[in-house]
Amino acid sequence: AERQADRFRDSTIACLEDEDARVRRTACATLAAIGLESDFELFYQRLLAEERDAEADAARNAIGTLAKRLQAGDAAAEQVGGKLAGASGESRTRLVKTLGTLGNAKALEIVRAAAEQALFGTAPNRDYAVLLLDTLGIWPAPEGSAVLEDLWQRLQDPSLRQAALKNYLVSVQ
């Protein structure tokens, strides 16, 4: 039976490269259900390589599912955080959303630090800050609301304060 699972896993991994996007999405979901810790890297590659959001979403959801199944949420968050440090544009957006999908304390720590840097650092980045505030607004645990409240209290820029408040209100509903 173990050899059968290995063969099935190998075939599923091969399907991650299929030309049909539906097959790639299904392969992500299947591999999340049977995969190993070493498969996280395959999902990160898919997350960053996919041209369409639906396939990137499938990879992101697979990362969350695999992390929960293997109880590897902190390790996954650290890996995503490491990739986030050098990312920009669409890759950065997808990685931040992945941290939100993981939704654990380690992921929140990374998002909070990134928000602090984007909002209050030596080179503030308004677009990145809004992405991070939006991610905190849909954080799957109440701790995201606390971070938003703290940021809101310290923000000086009226439009960023409004964005933080809007996301805080969404998060506490």
Side-chain angles (χ1 to χ4, degrees):
E2 228 173 271
R3 278 183 26 184
Q4 290 274 8
D6 284 342
R7 233 180 289 143
F8 183 65
R9 184 175 163 275
D10 291 343
S11 296
T12 302
I13 290 171
C15 288
L16 290 173
E17 301 296 332
D18 196 274
E19 66 184 46
D20 185 338
R22 291 174 302 168
V23 172
R24 293 194 308 272
R25 288 191 305 266
T26 302
C28 280
T30 302
L31 190 57
I34 64 170
L36 307 172
E37 197 163 333
S38 60
D39 295 327
F40 278 113
E41 192 56 41
L42 295 170
F43 292 134
Y44 299 137
Q45 290 170 10
R46 294 276 29 106
L47 177 73
L48 300 175
E50 288 291 354
E51 292 180 19
R52 294 184 41 208
D53 286 339
E55 286 72 49
D57 290 347
R60 182 178 71 244
N61 291 333
I63 291 166
T65 300
L66 186 62
K68 285 179 184 147
R69 189 174 66 74
L70 298 179
Q71 298 180 338
D74 286 351
E78 287 177 10
Q79 291 171 345
V80 173
K83 294 175 185 316
L84 183 61
S88 62
E90 186 63 32
S91 294
R92 180 165 53 190
T93 299
R94 289 176 176 182
L95 291 166
V96 168
K97 287 181 177 183
T98 302
L99 289 167
T101 297
L102 291 168
N104 60 21
K106 177 55 89 176
L108 182 60
E109 177 184 315
I110 294 166
V111 171
R112 180 188 190 112
E116 292 277 348
Q117 186 66 35
L119 291 165
F120 308 113
T122 56
N125 183 328
R126 178 181 218 76
D127 292 339
Y128 187 35
V130 169
L131 168 66
L132 293 160
L133 293 172
D134 289 347
T135 301
L136 290 166
I138 58 171
W139 200 261
E143 292 81 7
S145 300
V147 172
L148 280 166
E149 182 180 15
D150 174 61
L151 294 171
W152 174 78
Q153 289 175 352
R154 295 185 293 134
L155 281 166
Q156 299 299 314
D157 179 281
S159 65
L160 288 173
R161 278 181 62 86
Q162 183 66 28
L165 179 60
K166 173 190 80 166
N167 281 294
Y168 174 78
L169 292 173
V170 168
S171 72
V172 295
Q173 286 187 354

